[in-house]
Amino acid sequence: MNYQFCQQVKIVDMDDEIISEVLFEHGEYETAALSVGCSVRLHELGLREFNVVYDKREGKITRYKVTDIEIDLIAQPAVTRVFLEPVKLIVGQHDIGEN
């Protein structure tokens, strides 16, 4: 089954003031059945300027828990979206530069 993986990302400054919130789309993957509470391994997220990107530097792999699974039966064909636990990225601390 194909799943679209999404994650809510809150971008904040050093004073924890929200700069923006985005829904980061990891993409579509074919995988075995998933359930709420299971974990997936992906690259960590980071910032390039104010854009959310994968931090593909060595050792930057992390586990995220599945918090919700949404099946859109109105769309044809039906779309299954998997939501991962939200993350907070701090400008200045999660910048990965121009790799």
Side-chain angles (χ1 to χ4, degrees), residues 12-75:
V12 300
D13 64 15
M14 297 293 247
D15 295 323
D16 208 31
E17 296 291 326
I18 296 174
I19 296 172
S20 68
E21 288 188 62
V22 297
L23 184 64
F24 183 78
E25 296 189 6
H26 290 274
E28 189 171 305
Y29 296 91
E30 185 172 339
T31 182
L34 295 171
S35 63
V36 172
C38 71
S39 296
V40 297
R41 290 183 48 163
L42 289 167
H43 288 284
E44 284 186 17
L45 297 179
L47 294 170
R48 183 168 290 137
E49 297 179 5
F50 291 100
N51 296 317
V52 178
V53 296
Y54 286 121
D55 188 346
K56 294 187 177 180
R57 296 176 290 184
E58 187 175 337
K60 297 293 186 174
I61 305 271
T62 193
R63 291 172 43 162
Y64 297 110
K65 286 213 179 286
V66 173
T67 59
D68 194 15
I69 298 173
E70 173 187 88
I71 301 170
D72 183 352
L73 297 176
I74 296 171

Side-chain angles (χ1 to χ4, degrees), residues 1-15:
M1 177 173 239
N2 284 339
Y3 296 96
Q4 291 179 348
F5 285 80
C6 305
Q7 189 169 25
Q8 191 72 32
V9 179
K10 191 180 296 186
I11 301 170
V12 300
D13 64 15
M14 297 293 247
D15 295 323

